[in-house]
Amino acid sequence: MRIGNYIKIGTFIIIGIFVFPYVLCAQNGYYFFSDSDKVAIRNSANTLWGSVIVESMKEKVKERRSHKMEVPLLEGGHLHDYFCPVHNLSFSFEWDKPNEHYCSACKKYWKGNKRYDWAWINKVHAENLQYLENCTYLYLATGDTVYAIYIRDMLLDYAYKYPTYFEHNINRVATGLNSGKLFGQSLDESVWASDAARAYSVAKEIMSSGEIKKIETGYLRPCAELLLKRRGGGNWQVWHNSGLIALGVALEDDKIVDIALNDKQCGYHALMEKHVHDDGWWNEGSPTYHYYPLRAMMLSAEALRCRNINLYDRKLLDMLASPAQGVYADLSFPAHNDGWYGESLLAQTKLYELAYARSHNPLFRNILERCYCFVNRTSAEALFNPVSMEQKGKPEYGKSTYFKDLGVGVLRYQDKTVVLKYGPYGGGHGHPDKLSISIHNGKREILPDLGTSAYGVPDFTTWYRKSLAHNTVTVDGKDQAPVTGKLVRFLPSSSGGTIEAEVDSAYNGVKMRRCVTLKKNRLSDDFVCESSRSHVYDYVLLFTEPLDLPQVGKEIAITDAPVYEKIQNMKRCIVRGKFTIQTSDAEIRIEPGCDEIELYTGVAPGIPPTNPGVITKNHSEQRETQPCYPLIIRVKGEKMNIQTIWNLK
């Protein structure tokens, strides 16, 4: 939905802004925070709510300084390796245990794995970056030079160490494609540089000429030279550009900025044109991988204000506005593709604080006020807005909608939401899950999209990226091809509406069509597969609680493909005619459309722990993988026609 339209979506209001009312900074020079920014930050710091943010940052800086401050001598690895391979849970980071990594589910330390040790170094760099960010805002908010000194001292240490690191990838092999030095990939290198350069620029005024030269020649310039050699696409290159723009501003080098902004293949503008749909969504098909590059784009926009370059255009604002229409009633998102479960608007308040500070658009303030019903206003970016934010009361629930380019339809009735996914595959972060659905009852997903685990754990490729791990149909035990479906019809109504989509190339010779109708608390789901040849159709629903079969099942194992081995305690029974299943959240009546079907249930890896960097309401980043309980309806023949009726409680 373009921000140039006037639309009311529940409590979200988009005001027409065809000419963006944004005034570029009149100051000339190279900086990240204008004089007006500094005034706003100090004014906010003197408010009751702002002083809480400042005191929290002071405590975090104090806590960081209670540990060893030296920068690691060894290069870092890959953060996705810092997870227990059994429970998919992030290890608990401990400063004094670089070679021992505690899993709270195993209740033991994992030792002797270098990939874990290298990932521990990543955690140190991440903690150090947070320290630099906190010191940056504390110096701006208080004027206390001690925080600038802290920045100087840490960056000097990095400047001495950085030249000693060798370029390497996550396997500690040097490649020209994606190697880093601090980290095992240039992606992380650029993320770190995007904020470290801001810290340097703020603290530079208290440094000597020798200290400035050392930081610039030891870290800033070499990092820029590394990133200039990393040419690619997607969210990686967006972050490369963000790092380069920040480094270019910090080094006062417009040549670096120009390449990152205007390169015809890899520049900011080229990537915006290539990867951002007209409906405002990033083309990797996941809320997680929408906000990830969006933050890089906004950091680029912030950095270039000092050069009188305005990147806060309608396309960037559409990227902020569109996701607000795709949330569940609790402001969380479906975990589509390689999306972390639990991703929500709550995790993105810092971006919306910046957007509101630059645009004063009521939509962004409205989003913030909705979020602050669930979480406290704690981000440093809130200091840009020296105004209090009200907490919205009882929400007006959104209307049914669809995103034509993303290929996702959303049906709503009050707090009930049903989502149908049919669009483009999503590239390297896509999942083979065309015509999959998820259902949210206002409090939680009762039929979830599981999203992804950490990339370094076995279940990532053996389960979460398989068609069978989604609420759709798997044919002949194989994954769907990476294809795009097509919307057949979308008919919204005040009680929900209908959305129908089809795909005819996910499986060779098989045409698949799904029609979902929500009418208040009643959901009708019709799934049809047709072919001129006989196939084995597995219609899958992934429940979050154990199921009782309509009759006693016998234990069995399906050996059609290795993915079925991920389902434990599998039972099978033969069912003739329609049957009903009861859960705590719904009554589900299933009409198989044939005389006899095979019915399977079991236990499989379910909702994984959330990335520790994602803010959630239920602290799902601190628990191990939850089980899910697949219901597989197996139909053999040329055609499958299953109708499922849900009475949602």
Side-chain angles (χ1 to χ4, degrees), residues 194-415:
S194 295
D195 282 309
R198 290 155 63 91
Y200 165 76
S201 180
V202 166
K204 184 177 178 180
E205 63 188 24
I206 63 97
M207 298 181 192
S208 69
S209 59
E211 291 165 342
I212 290 171
K213 181 179 180 180
K214 182 60 186 177
I215 293 172
E216 292 190 355
T217 60
Y219 169 62
L220 298 179
R221 182 72 62 179
C223 184
E225 291 171 354
L226 182 147
L227 294 179
L228 283 169
K229 294 184 292 184
R230 302 295 183 255
R231 295 174 59 81
N235 67 74
W236 277 60
Q237 190 61 40
V238 171
W239 272 108
H240 289 166
N241 292 337
S242 173
L244 286 168
I245 288 170
L247 291 166
V249 170
L251 290 165
E252 302 184 10
D253 189 335
D254 284 338
K255 292 181 180 179
I256 296 175
V257 170
D258 182 66
I259 292 172
L261 189 62
N262 298 314
D263 184 277
K264 291 183 179 180
Q265 291 181 325
C266 302
Y268 174 96
H269 293 302
L271 295 179
M272 284 288 281
E273 183 65 27
K274 180 179 180 180
H275 291 289
V276 180
H277 292 311
D278 288 341
D279 62 9
W281 282 91
W282 181 260
N283 69 352
E284 289 183 284
S286 161
T288 294
Y289 278 100
H290 177 89
Y291 282 111
Y292 187 55
L294 176 56
R295 181 170 183 265
M297 294 171 188
M298 293 189 68
L299 288 177
S300 297
E302 286 293 297
L304 291 178
R305 293 169 65 234
C306 70
R307 308 310 296 145
N308 285 310
I309 298 172
N310 180 15
L311 298 184
Y312 278 104
D313 58 11
R314 190 164 96 173
K315 199 161 193 175
L316 186 61
L317 296 181
D318 283 348
M319 291 185 72
L320 288 153
S322 287
Q325 304 168 60
V327 294
Y328 292 134
D330 65 354
L331 306 188
S332 66
F333 291 101
H336 287 158
N337 290 350
D338 279 346
W340 289 98
Y341 197 89
E343 182 69 76
S344 72
L345 284 179
L346 309 181
Q348 307 302 333
T349 54
K350 60 174 62 178
L351 298 188
Y352 288 100
E353 289 280 8
L354 275 178
Y356 182 64
R358 303 309 178 207
S359 71
H360 302 294
N361 186 338
L363 166 68
F364 301 136
R365 177 164 183 156
N366 190 284
I367 291 172
L368 288 167
E369 290 175 343
R370 286 287 308 279
C371 289
Y372 293 142
C373 290
F374 298 101
V375 295
N376 293 325
R377 193 182 186 191
T378 58
S379 72
E381 288 79 2
L383 300 176
F384 282 100
N385 293 306
V387 295
S388 297
M389 293 281 179
E390 298 178 0
Q391 293 184 350
K392 291 292 183 182
K394 185 177 180 180
E396 298 176 19
Y397 300 112
K399 298 179 180 179
S400 297
T401 188
Y402 81 100
F403 303 100
K404 66 180 183 65
D405 300 312
L406 180 68
V408 170
V410 183
L411 299 179
R412 294 188 178 97
Y413 173 69
Q414 296 182 354
D415 62 348

Side-chain angles (χ1 to χ4, degrees), residues 568-636:
Q568 302 297 309
N569 303 323
M570 184 178 287
K571 294 183 179 181
R572 171 184 179 269
C573 66
I574 302 297
V575 177
R576 296 174 178 82
K578 61 186 178 181
F579 60 95
T580 300
I581 294 174
Q582 295 281 351
T583 72
S584 60
D585 300 292
E587 179 187 75
I588 305 123
R589 187 175 79 251
I590 299 176
E591 300 181 6
C594 57
D595 294 335
E596 182 178 283
I597 55 102
E598 299 174 29
L599 191 63
Y600 298 86
T601 63
V603 183
I607 298 172
T610 301
N611 185 318
V614 175
I615 300 172
T616 64
K617 293 184 301 180
N618 60 1
H619 304 291
S620 57
E621 70 281 3
Q622 299 174 8
R623 52 128 178 94
E624 61 185 283
T625 299
Q626 295 178 335
C628 74
Y629 303 89
L631 177 70
I632 300 175
I633 299 175
R634 173 164 285 191
V635 176
K636 299 178 181 178

